[in-house]
Amino acid sequence: MNPADIAATGVAATGFAQGSEVSLLSMFWSAHIVVKLVMLGLLAASVWCWAIIINKAILLRRTQRAIDQFEEVFWSGASLDELYTTLSARPTSGMASLFVAAMREWRRSVQGAATSTFMGLQARIEKVLDVSIAREVEKLESNLLVLATVASASPFIGLFGTVWGIMSSFRSIAASRNTSLAVVAPGIAEALFATAIGLFAAIPALIAYNKLQGDVAKKQAQLEGFADEFSSILSRQIDQRAAHDQAA
């Protein structure tokens, strides 16, 4: 085989003309079908992650705003019964949902109840608060596992595409019997492009997961702190009501 035939075979194997500029789009179109599927899957995962990141950022900001507004009203000295009547008439989230759930249990147990009923009321209220906290945290944490999965798996998926692309390039080099850099470089670049896309998907997902998980932990601490304070308030009222009933 003469040099011209070898060069032509190398160009056909790699999909690039010698001296032509290698762009990202051209590397994608000339890549092996398996490498293309890997790239498309990683790009889809990246888009999915960014959608989750934006959605969670908005949700956490909205939750913090609702917590701040509720705390301002709750600690302003307003009547708990009036606040419960107002909040129970509409959907609630965050601390408001904890308050409504605990007050609902309080009202059900106190209205027309005997003194003996108060003995288990504190435990029931604490259980209701724990369940409400778990539900709120579950809403905040939903889909965060997707970010963790993409962050841990994307580099390996990209590496799989890279290995496959390099094997295809070596087979093309063996078929053309031409080891010049102009023939080898495009195929290797295609293969490494898959790893680059894997890192492009993994790095933002990892950073966002750590940041969002930390924010969720802060919200959970706020909810647990309020639950302890509100449980103490209701506990004092339970003791006062029980003492009043015994005196009567």
Side-chain angles (χ1 to χ4, degrees), residues 40-63:
L40 291 175
L42 291 172
L43 288 174
S46 179
V47 173
W48 189 11
C49 287
W50 278 109
I52 294 174
I53 292 170
I54 295 173
N55 178 68
K56 287 302 174 184
I58 295 173
L59 176 61
L60 289 170
R61 189 178 298 111
R62 188 186 302 124
T63 301

Side-chain angles (χ1 to χ4, degrees), residues 69-91:
Q69 292 175 350
F70 173 78
E71 284 189 318
E72 183 179 356
V73 175
F74 181 82
W75 297 111
S76 65
S79 171
L80 296 182
D81 291 330
E82 293 179 0
L83 183 58
Y84 170 75
T85 303
T86 301
L87 294 177
S88 61
R90 63 174 186 267

